[in-house]
Amino acid sequence: MRLIEEPYANDNAYIRENGIIDLIHPDNFVLPDQPHEWKGKWIWAAKQKYMDLQTSCHTLFQNKDSRYGIFIFQKKWNIETRIKNANLFITAESSYKVFINGKPVGRGPAQPGGDYANCGSVSKKYYEKYGIEHYLNPGENIISVRVSLSPIVLSEISCGWGGLIADIEMDGHVIGTDETWKCTKDNCYTDRAMWNGQHRLGRTEKGYVDECWEDAEVVSGQSNYPELLETPIPNLNYYKMEYEKMIIPFDQDRVIRDGSGRIVIKAGRPVTFWLDFEKIYAAFFYMKIIGRAGVKMVLHMQEFPGKTEREGTTETYILGDGDNEFESLRLHSIAYVQVTVSNLWEDIIIEKCGLNVSFYPTKLKGSFVSDLPVLQQIYDIGIRTNQICRQTYHMDSPIHQEPLGCMGDYTIESLMNYYTFGDYYLTRFDILKIADYLKSRNFVMFHPSYCLIYIEMIYDYVMYSGDVSILSGLMDTVNGIIALFQSYLGGNYLIDKAPNYMFMDWVIEGEYNRHHPPKCMGQGYMSALFVGALNIAGKLMELTGSPVEARKSYQRISDKVAGSICELLWKEDRGLFCDGIYDKNANVNSKWLPADCDRVFYSQHMNVLCVLYDILPFDKQLNVMEKVMNDPGLSQAQPYFMHFVFEALDKVGLFEKYGLGQIERWKKLIDENASALKEVWYGFDCDYSHAWGGTPTYQLPSKILGVTPKKPGFSEINFRPCLPEKLSYAQGMIPTPYGSIEVRLERKDGSVISKIECPKEIKVYKG
């Protein structure tokens, strides 16, 4: 046995021509029904020897320069007879990768929640369960666990103590973590992105040599660790990916791929080349090299060759003599790996390198096809980008990996998923983690507006999944958010006392950014979102059977705020809402809330929300949306906020007129990068793996095929197909809890013929 960073086997997945990873066999995950009863105890490295490596920061927001270390834990045991059923339960502080008999089993734990700029711990930690009988052999077996002390990326959260806890269950026999486990520090990892092979532990083909190991210790403060819950999503899968080609701009005669696929790098001056993986993937890069001590390799994980991203995407490796094997500790967004090798005093050989592509395991169940090929490209790129971001939570992107606080992103990503993968577990997990975090922080989050959109995310989840029962544990959070925003209301019933007015959109307007606008630019937007949240909260209360009077109280607040918006922000001369009212007293400049200015702003954003949430009287909504689509003087929406634009167009019956043309704008993003979605249209040096801009993947089947749930879980559906004149046909499949709905629309003799086939449990309402 040897603990190596070998790739995973591609035994249940394949890559489609469009780059989407699909499963060969369907996923059969079911939610855990009861918590695991632990035999194992939290263990860690000997306190006396590693006094300065017992604790860590909670998050990188708290201290990105905190102490860091990698420890390897190991346990050997013998098996005399064939094991029929075996499970591994495991988690660690802060993260782990586990091997059995040298083969990688998995990594974790699942992302626990949190928020941007959070510096504290959270009350719950998640553990993974792996079926491991096929990893076990008769005779000696070895489990090895690499544990990282302290977070590696922004989304990781530590309780502040290093630790590992595990149980191996085999046909009723349990081996738990205790003082009989061995431990050693891996001195190669000198930092989160620095590996020095000259400090490698002694190894043989049977593993690490015995003198490397010391006894692990059972941690005395077991109560220091969070409550443990089983991860309520399927374990992530990994797909082995080899590079497509090399880009060698200089010294082509010194970087040579031989007949066996190895890369030989000749001694001499520094050399730079790229490994090209053709498309962007969320992945861990691995490499095995025969090298010489002191040779330096700097790896830049890139979405485009030469475009170096933010901190954490560059890794440095110093080789030791002989075999060097390593894998990135963090997930990256990778289409290219820029490799710069220096101190090349002898030839080195890269024996193998590639990606372990990380993906959430669910089959692709939805589809959309039409006679306009670009729509298929746009639909597919949204699926692909969403798959990149769907890990143990809905990421903003693998480059950023911000914590679970961007609910605007997750609302859109979840809707895209409902019409494609048809998975409900990941959204459910995110919703529950967000609720726990909000309750622990008095319902305050870094981006206040996302709290309001979170209520919409809950409602969408219930309508698509049918999981009404989840609401019993969420209504306290919903009501807490509403109460918080009530406290932000001023005497004029507009949001007047918010800590800031984030997040609107990534739009630069003069010296301001609508990411964190001044009050007069963000007040109306936040007030309109509050009206929408109140209305949706009322719908949730109705689903839970809450008293009528409680629902009416929210409606009264909604009516007052909506009335104030109409009275104070409607500008009759423009026939539009302005974005807010200048407040001379809001004159303090802070990082996320600029001092207010005596100006009047107009935006697509504000007016779209006033239509979408019926703040504006119905007879004026059509005219306002016409102006939204035709007035270039309004602040224009980036891809993220276009989601709300499409929803408002559909509401007033203008999707057929404008929707398809707006969706075709995504062609420019595909021309710029055909493998995943750029974060914005323009204006920012951004990433190209941002699923929040993938709303066409939801819009095409929901608006053109016209299928939306009328009752929770698709027991009843609305069927309102809309085939724009530019299309002669469209067809597709929409996954539901009862099975797939099939729709075909075809234009014949000037009229549209629509056909829908549904599972028998679904009742269809047309028109």
Side-chain angles (χ1 to χ4, degrees), residues 550-715:
R551 303 201 300 267
K552 285 183 177 179
S553 69
Y554 279 3
Q555 188 60 55
R556 285 192 290 269
I557 301 168
S558 173
D559 290 344
K560 286 183 178 180
V561 178
S564 291
I565 291 172
C566 289
E567 178 184 351
L568 300 174
L569 303 183
W570 176 257
K571 301 300 181 182
E572 190 65 38
D573 58 328
R574 291 284 301 266
L576 292 166
F577 289 97
C578 70
D579 287 336
I581 302 170
Y582 168 59
D583 182 356
K584 65 180 180 180
N585 295 316
N587 55 12
V588 177
N589 219 7
S590 64
K591 184 175 182 179
W592 303 117
L593 180 59
D596 214 8
C597 63
D598 191 6
R599 290 170 58 187
V600 178
F601 296 94
Y602 293 87
S603 65
Q604 286 186 326
H605 308 72
M606 175 61 183
N607 287 278
V608 159
L609 293 184
C610 287
V611 169
L612 191 57
Y613 299 133
D614 284 320
I615 294 167
L616 182 67
F618 183 76
D619 61 344
K620 293 183 177 181
Q621 291 181 8
L622 187 67
N623 288 337
V624 164
M625 286 308 298
E626 287 282 2
K627 290 183 178 182
V628 163
M629 301 312 298
N630 293 293
D631 186 346
L634 299 179
S635 182
Q636 300 291 298
Q638 294 274 23
Y640 158 71
F641 195 82
M642 284 302 300
H643 172 77
F644 301 93
V645 175
F646 285 124
E647 297 296 273
L649 286 173
D650 179 63
K651 182 177 183 297
V652 300
L654 288 176
F655 185 87
E656 185 171 1
K657 181 177 180 180
Y658 291 108
L660 199 60
Q662 291 298 311
I663 287 175
E664 288 182 283
R665 294 174 67 190
W666 268 256
K667 178 65 165 60
K668 292 183 178 180
L669 299 184
I670 292 175
D671 290 343
E672 191 169 334
N673 177 45
S675 74
L677 286 168
K678 185 181 178 184
E679 188 174 359
V680 294
W681 302 124
Y682 54 84
F684 299 90
D685 183 20
C686 59
D687 66 76
Y688 288 78
S689 50
H690 229 85
W692 75 345
T695 190
T697 300
Y698 155 72
Q699 301 296 337
L700 289 167
S702 66
K703 304 302 187 296
I704 293 180
L705 300 185
V707 174
T708 55
K710 181 179 177 69
K711 290 284 184 69
F714 285 90
S715 60

Side-chain angles (χ1 to χ4, degrees), residues 263-277:
I263 301 172
V264 180
I265 304 175
K266 297 291 187 179
R269 65 189 181 190
V271 63
T272 295
F273 61 95
W274 280 263
L275 302 172
D276 180 358
F277 293 91

Side-chain angles (χ1 to χ4, degrees), residues 290-322:
I290 300 174
R292 289 292 177 260
V295 174
K296 181 179 180 181
M297 303 187 73
V298 178
L299 309 180
H300 298 283
M301 314 301 175
Q302 298 172 342
E303 295 179 331
F304 289 90
K307 185 179 187 294
T308 300
E309 301 295 345
R310 61 175 61 187
E311 183 179 5
T313 59
T314 296
E315 299 177 353
T316 301
Y317 296 88
I318 309 297
L319 303 187
D321 275 326

Side-chain angles (χ1 to χ4, degrees), residues 472-486:
S472 62
L474 293 175
M475 290 310 297
D476 284 349
T477 304
V478 171
N479 293 331
I481 293 169
I482 296 299
L484 176 67
F485 277 81
Q486 274 187 264

Side-chain angles (χ1 to χ4, degrees), residues 749-763:
D749 302 324
S751 61
V752 175
I753 299 171
S754 61
K755 294 181 180 179
I756 183 169
E757 295 183 13
C758 296
K760 65 181 186 302
E761 296 89 347
I762 297 176
K763 186 174 183 179

Side-chain angles (χ1 to χ4, degrees), residues 392-529:
T392 61
Y393 73 113
H394 286 91
M395 287 183 176
D396 59 332
S397 81
I399 290 178
H400 301 179
Q401 292 187 56
E402 293 178 2
L404 194 64
C406 299
M407 287 84 94
D409 302 44
Y410 318 144
T411 297
I412 297 168
E413 291 174 36
S414 295
L415 287 167
M416 294 162 63
N417 154 70
Y418 299 146
Y419 282 87
T420 54
F421 296 110
D423 168 76
Y424 305 110
Y425 295 119
L426 188 58
T427 297
R428 177 183 180 274
F429 191 23
D430 283 351
I431 285 171
L432 293 174
K433 288 184 289 186
I434 293 167
D436 283 340
Y437 185 83
L438 281 166
K439 285 187 284 189
S440 72
R441 300 303 196 275
N442 296 317
F443 311 102
V444 174
M445 295 200 87
F446 183 76
H447 300 100
S449 69
Y450 282 160
C451 293
L452 300 172
I453 295 175
Y454 170 64
I455 296 175
E456 190 164 342
M457 180 183 176
I458 294 171
Y459 180 75
D460 289 342
Y461 167 76
V462 171
M463 293 302 292
Y464 283 90
S465 70
D467 182 12
V468 178
S469 64
I470 196 175
L471 295 177
S472 62
L474 293 175
M475 290 310 297
D476 284 349
T477 304
V478 171
N479 293 331
I481 293 169
I482 296 299
L484 176 67
F485 277 81
Q486 274 187 264
S487 73
Y488 294 159
L489 290 175
N492 59 7
Y493 267 86
L494 296 179
I495 297 293
D496 192 61
K497 296 174 283 188
N500 59 64
Y501 294 87
M502 296 191 290
F503 167 82
M504 288 184 70
D505 204 353
W506 281 111
V507 178
I508 296 292
E509 195 158 345
E511 66 271 38
Y512 299 110
N513 186 341
R514 286 184 179 269
H515 170 275
H516 51 281
K519 183 177 179 180
C520 65
M521 186 185 279
Q523 180 183 46
Y525 172 90
M526 192 85 78
S527 300
L529 278 177

